[in-house]
């Protein structure tokens, strides 16, 4: 069995009972998007595949600590698995860097590492946060956290620090303005940008319909 096949089995097992927006199917979509984007880029495809498969192996949102989520768990789990498969340290280090630098974290997170492989996986992950699936995931997570759908009296909070973003309990609709609608302009690759454009328009149309229904206009 190939390393990629073993990684897929490992991730499926680890995320068997994960929240619906961060489960195996999220990983699979990011994996497929990563491969699609990688076709147009000069990159190490193995690193892209491993980075995509392991990027959410232990999302900090589901490992709470005083900061709002322990960001060390995912890299540790990924490293332990890759070492058990005798993967080279060079590849392991690259994959860990992808995991540690992929997240949005309020948009004010300064990446400490850059590579074409990170850019590809980051674009793929961000694509899954926008469009129809992005909308579904956002409300799924809002329900998981028992947040209100929308509250006109609570305005979106822009330019949050990483800590504020991680601890936010704002209504779900605010997340569109605090993250989702910002992602189109943060894409790294031409392929990612092209796909993001269409998904962004879909979200804008959704919001227009949402507000019209909220006000009883449609």
């Amino acid at each position: 069995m190939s390393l990629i096949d073993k990684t897929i089995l490992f991730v499926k097992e680890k995320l068997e009972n994960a929240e619906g927006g961060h489960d195996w199917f999220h990983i699979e979509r990011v994996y497929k998007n990563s491969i699609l984007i990688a076709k147009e880029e000069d990159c190490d495809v193995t690193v892209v595949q491993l980075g995509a498969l392991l990027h959410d192996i232990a999302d900090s949102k589901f490992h709470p600590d005083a900061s709002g989520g322990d960001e060390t768990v995912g890299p540790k789990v990924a490293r332990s698995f890759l070492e058990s498969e005798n993967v080279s340290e060079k590849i392991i280090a690259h994959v860990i860097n992808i995991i540690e630098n992929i997240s949005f974290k309020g948009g004010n997170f300064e990446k400490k590492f850059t590579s074409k492989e990170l850019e590809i996986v980051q674009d793929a992950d961000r694509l899954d946060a926008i469009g129809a699936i992005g909308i579904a995931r956002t409300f799924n997570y809002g329900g998981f956290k028992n947040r209100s759908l929308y509250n006109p009296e609570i305005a979106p909070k822009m330019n949050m620090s990483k800590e504020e973003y991680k601890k936010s309990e704002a209504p779900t609709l605010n997340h569109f303005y605090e993250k989702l609608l910002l992602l189109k302009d943060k894409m790294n690759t031409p392929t990612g940008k092209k796909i993001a454009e269409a998904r962004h328009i879909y979200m804008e149309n959704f919001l227009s319909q949402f507000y019209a229904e909220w006000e009883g206009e449609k």
Side-chain angles (χ1 to χ4, degrees), residues 37-45 48 94 115-120 189-190:
I37 296 170
K39 289 178 180 177
E40 304 299 323
E41 304 291 337
D42 181 15
C43 64
D44 184 326
V45 176
V48 169
H94 198 159
S115 74
K116 180 57 65 177
E117 291 76 14
L118 168 59
E119 290 182 352
I120 291 167
T189 66

Side-chain angles (χ1 to χ4, degrees), residues 90-151:
K90 181 180 179 182
I91 290 178
I92 293 176
H94 198 159
V95 171
I96 297 302
N97 273 316
I98 289 174
I99 296 170
E100 291 178 340
N101 289 276
I102 192 173
S103 293
F104 178 75
K105 298 172 184 170
N108 293 317
F109 172 66
E110 185 176 340
K111 289 192 288 188
K112 299 173 183 175
F113 173 83
T114 58
S115 74
K116 180 57 65 177
E117 291 76 14
L118 168 59
E119 290 182 352
I120 291 167
V121 180
Q122 189 173 58
D123 276 9
D125 188 38
R126 287 176 171 176
L127 286 174
D128 206 53
I130 59 178
I133 286 176
I135 292 170
R137 290 180 67 214
T138 299
F139 284 102
N140 186 80
Y141 186 71
F144 176 77
K145 300 293 285 187
N146 198 30
R147 295 174 181 169
S148 60
L149 292 178
Y150 172 52
N151 185 337

Side-chain angles (χ1 to χ4, degrees), residues 17-185:
N17 298 309
E19 178 266 336
H22 299 81
D23 57 5
W24 159 250
F25 295 111
H26 163 62
I27 303 298
E28 186 177 41
R29 292 190 301 270
V30 173
Y31 178 65
K32 290 176 179 177
N33 280 333
S34 293
I35 292 173
L36 175 66
I37 296 170
K39 289 178 180 177
E40 304 299 323
E41 304 291 337
D42 181 15
C43 64
D44 184 326
V45 176
T46 297
V47 170
V48 169
Q49 290 175 303
L50 292 173
L53 290 169
L54 294 167
H55 81 278
D56 258 351
I57 194 63
D59 192 298
S60 64
K61 287 191 288 294
F62 306 104
H63 295 84
D65 64 4
S67 72
D70 189 345
E71 296 176 11
T72 68
V73 180
K76 287 177 182 175
V77 172
R79 174 172 283 280
S80 177
F81 167 74
L82 293 172
E83 286 179 346
S84 74
E85 296 298 328
N86 298 312
V87 176
S88 73
E89 176 56 31
K90 181 180 179 182
I91 290 178
I92 293 176
H94 198 159
V95 171
I96 297 302
N97 273 316
I98 289 174
I99 296 170
E100 291 178 340
N101 289 276
I102 192 173
S103 293
F104 178 75
K105 298 172 184 170
N108 293 317
F109 172 66
E110 185 176 340
K111 289 192 288 188
K112 299 173 183 175
F113 173 83
T114 58
S115 74
K116 180 57 65 177
E117 291 76 14
L118 168 59
E119 290 182 352
I120 291 167
V121 180
Q122 189 173 58
D123 276 9
D125 188 38
R126 287 176 171 176
L127 286 174
D128 206 53
I130 59 178
I133 286 176
I135 292 170
R137 290 180 67 214
T138 299
F139 284 102
N140 186 80
Y141 186 71
F144 176 77
K145 300 293 285 187
N146 198 30
R147 295 174 181 169
S148 60
L149 292 178
Y150 172 52
N151 185 337
E153 297 180 1
I154 303 177
K157 190 172 183 180
M158 310 305 289
N159 299 312
M160 285 186 281
S161 68
K162 184 177 78 170
E163 289 71 26
E164 287 176 321
Y165 179 78
K166 287 168 68 175
K167 293 181 179 180
S168 174
E169 296 181 356
T172 297
L173 209 73
N174 288 22
H175 194 59
F176 282 80
Y177 301 95
E178 294 166 352
K179 177 183 178 181
L180 308 192
L181 293 171
L182 306 178
L183 294 180
K184 172 178 70 71
D185 294 329

